[in-house]
Structure formats: structure tokens, C-alpha cells
Amino acid sequence: MRIIFFILLLAINAAVCNFALANDISLQDENSEFATRSCKLKQYIKHKTALPADCRCGSNRSNSSGLNVCQRPTEVARNMGVNIGKGPSFANYYNSRLTGGFIDYKNNELIASVQWGSGKESRGLIVAYDMSDWSRRFVSGDAQDEYGHHVIAKGPSFFKLKDVQAGKDGYWYGFSHEQVKGGGLRILQIDPKTGERKLIWAGRDNSYGQCPSGRKIVRNDSQKYVQYTQEAFAVDPSNGSFLLTFSNNKMGGTGIARISSDGSTCNFVTLSGSRDDNLKVGRGFDLRGPMLGLYIHAGKIFTHSSGEKTFYEIDPNNGNRKALARKGPKPPAWRRVAWDEERKVFWVSGKMNSVSIAAFDPAKKKYLIAHKSCGKKFPWAWYPLCMGGPIRINSLNYGPMWLNKKTGNLLFGQDLIGIVEFEPSTGNSINRSF
């Protein structure tokens, strides 16, 4: 009996130690509207969140009794009919999804690209989120209201809008795909003040600068040029030019192309693979399969290949390709990359149908897996707890990722339609706007 009593006493003490005092909370802001829904485990009390709600505890994520800011975005918006943040919403548009964008620090806004519809009916929309209160405004493109479809601002349609990035000249630039035979990639200039759109460049159209395929036998005009891909776009801040990728060994090899800021010329940045003219640009590991995303940091280009899941660093001055990592953790195949200067890691994300967020330390050549590389077992002092809240619940589906340099937190286009903020220092995440 004494032994049983002693075991029960130990169990009770262990349970008590796992919880904090009743009057302590896991939020830094004791006046938050969600302070009464604090998470009570001692690790959450120790690592208090600066976000307005603590979504790490399961009760706050519950479909029946949880907080809307902690639940799955599509469950809240599409099944409950609830929106978070003021302003017009695209959450219930047919087949809508966030695809890209950037943070405008000067105006404290997140500028995001959205595509909705499908096939020839695909439409694009640019949305601005005020990061002080997470309200939304529609800037340019196709939208809906209680009266039906309407177009915001003048200019060519976006169609399938894949990304929007800031230009060096103060304009924004949208990267889109028109669903026509043979594909039709386009770059459009957007006036951020009026939303008006202007076509700057169209792929495989000899009215604009095109990179040659090098084919000996050309049966139609489209075979004269490389086959540009849809998943990668960047604006070079040094000169305002545009970076695209291409991939097809029968149509010019695999590599990165640079389109001039006026759309008049195309040059190869790096090029590998078989070509009739045997042209190569740069040395190093071949690029195998389409590139998933492009990111510029410290004058270098970073990208992932879809073929061998290799993480590349590319020197745009000579096209040389360095493989930073050839075998990443499962699941691989990322699209998004962001450099974290404070933590000295690359954040990478974007896997389809999976939670895939990792940090790659180029000095240690090691990966941190956001949902499991945490706690005493792993030597990441700045990442004490695994991720919790809505960021862990569902798929990123190639959704965009941004690092807010002011807070050190990550923002995601999560579950197709929601903006979710993730706090690496505590593992907490919260729905911000949809």
C-alpha cells in the first residue's frame, strides 16, 4: 500500500509541476481579449507569447469550442461564415488561393497576390493587408461583391496570377499565366496608387525579349524560345530586371533567364542540360527539373529544384551553381525561401499537401524541422517549443511565406486563403486575416 501511495504521490506532483499557478498566464499582454483563454502548461507560461491569443493549447483549436483565431482558416471562413479582419474578403471565392507577394515596410502593409476561378476563367487579384490591424483592401484585378463580378482599375487582366513583387521604380509587378494553347506567361506593371495595369512582357512572343532555345530544327515560332515555367519569379533590386526559370531539354535546357526591366531583352543567368547548340552558362551542379521559386539575398540567387530536391546558391555574375544541400528532410520540394538575419538561417517552406516548414543553417549545414526539431533533444536555443496553433493544423499547398524583419515572426498564406502569423520564439501561431 505504501508503494502504491508513493507512486500516486509522484504522479500528482508531476502533474502539478506541468501546470503553472492559476493566476499566471501564457500571454505577455495581460489585457488581451483572449487572456482568459491562456494555455496553462508550464512550458507555455515560461515562453509567453506576444501574439494576442495563445493557440498552442488544443482547447483553443477545437472545432466546437475553440477560438476563431486559432482554428483552421477554411473551417472558420467557409464552414462557419466568419471573417477575421475588416474589409472585403476573397475567402469564399471559387477556387481562391494566395500565391505570393511581399512586405511593404514603408506603408506597413503585406501586399499579396490571389488567384481564383479555374481554367480559362482563372482570375487574379492583388490584396493589401494593413499589418497594424490586419484589415484588407483590394488594389487591382478581378473581384466580387454582392452584385457579382467586377474589375478594379484599368488594364489587361491578370488571369492566373502567380506572384506580385515590388519594383525598383516604385511600381509593383505581377507574374501571371494566361490559359491559352502553349501557355502564356506575362509580367504586368501595377500602379500601387491607382491599381492600373500595363503589360511589360509576354513569354514566347517575339514582340518582347526572348531567350533562344538553340534548336536546329524549328517547326513553329514558339520552338525558337526556351520553355518558361510558372512557379518562379523575382525582381532584382539592383537593376529592376525580372528573373524567370525555364525547363525543357528539347526546348533549350534548364536554367534562369533575366528579362530587362522594359521587357525588351532576355539573357541567360545560368543554364544546364542538353541543347542543340551545346550552350552552357555557369559551372556546378546541373539544374534538374523546374525550379520552385527564386529568392535573392546578398547578391546571390537561391532556389530549389523539383527533380533532385537540391537547394542551390547561384552567382548571377557568372552563372556558377553551388549545391547547399542535396538531401533535405522529408517532405522536401520547397518553393519559398527567406533569409533570417537574426537567427542566421534560411526559412524554407511550401510543400503541397503537408506541413513543411524548416530552417536551414548554412554554417552547420543542418535543418530544423518546425513541427518536431524542438525541445531538449535538439540544439536550437532560439526554438524551444514545437509549432502549435493553426500553422500546424493544415497544408501550406505551396502557399507564400514572408519573414517580418521588424518582429522576427513568419507570415504564411495558410490553408489557401488565410494569413497566419507564426512566432518561432514560442511556437505559437494565430490567424490574422481572411
Side-chain angles (χ1 to χ4, degrees), residues 27 151 176 205 258 269 272 288 321 370 406-407 416:
L27 281 71
V151 180
S176 71
D205 180 337
R258 185 186 298 277
V269 175
S272 64
R288 301 185 186 276
R321 302 173 296 274
K406 292 183 178 179
T407 63
L416 302 177

Side-chain angles (χ1 to χ4, degrees), residues 339-388:
W339 172 251
D340 188 331
E341 180 63 28
E342 180 182 353
R343 301 178 179 100
K344 304 298 182 185
V345 296
F346 286 102
W347 288 99
V348 286
S349 74
K351 174 69 177 175
M352 183 67 79
N353 296 324
S354 175
V355 175
S356 179
I357 303 167
F360 174 68
D361 188 325
K364 298 178 181 178
K365 296 189 180 302
K366 290 185 178 180
Y367 284 95
L368 174 155
I369 314 301
H371 65 283
K372 63 181 182 180
S373 299
C374 47
K376 295 180 180 179
K377 185 179 178 181
F378 296 92
W380 304 92
W382 51 266
Y383 194 68
L385 300 177
C386 288
M387 65 181 187

Side-chain angles (χ1 to χ4, degrees), residues 153-299:
K154 299 178 180 178
S157 297
F158 286 126
F159 296 104
K160 196 173 184 179
L161 185 58
K162 308 294 290 188
D163 201 356
V164 62
Q165 294 294 321
K168 186 180 180 182
D169 54 7
Y171 289 99
W172 301 343
Y173 289 91
F175 181 53
S176 71
H177 181 233
E178 185 177 359
Q179 297 286 77
V180 296
K181 185 177 181 180
L185 290 179
R186 312 191 310 165
I187 299 173
L188 286 85
Q189 182 189 77
I190 303 103
D191 186 328
K193 296 180 180 179
T194 65
E196 292 187 358
R197 302 173 295 278
K198 176 183 177 182
L199 183 64
I200 296 296
W201 178 85
R204 307 176 84 178
D205 180 337
N206 59 18
S207 301
Y208 303 92
Q210 307 294 337
C211 281
S213 67
R215 284 175 64 111
K216 291 180 179 178
I217 299 175
V218 176
R219 293 185 173 86
N220 55 63
D221 283 348
S222 66
Q223 293 181 339
K224 295 179 181 178
Y225 315 120
V226 295
Q227 186 169 322
Y228 306 101
T229 60
Q230 302 178 34
E231 299 300 329
F233 175 69
V235 179
D236 191 331
S238 67
N239 55 23
S241 63
F242 311 105
L243 298 179
L244 310 177
T245 63
F246 56 90
S247 182
N248 188 329
N249 281 342
K250 294 181 179 180
M251 298 290 289
T254 299
I256 298 174
R258 185 186 298 277
I259 309 296
S260 62
S261 59
D262 62 359
S264 65
T265 62
C266 178
N267 295 291
F268 293 116
V269 175
T270 192
L271 169 61
S272 64
S274 301
R275 286 173 59 105
D276 289 350
D277 60 5
N278 295 316
L279 178 65
K280 306 285 185 183
V281 179
R283 299 171 56 246
F285 287 94
D286 283 355
L287 302 173
R288 301 185 186 276
M291 297 297 104
L292 295 173
L294 291 169
Y295 179 72
I296 299 174
H297 165 65

Side-chain angles (χ1 to χ4, degrees), residues 57 89 93 95 184 186 204 303 311 354:
C57 44
S89 173
Y93 289 7
N95 203 31
R186 312 191 310 165
R204 307 176 84 178
T303 186
F311 186 26
S354 175

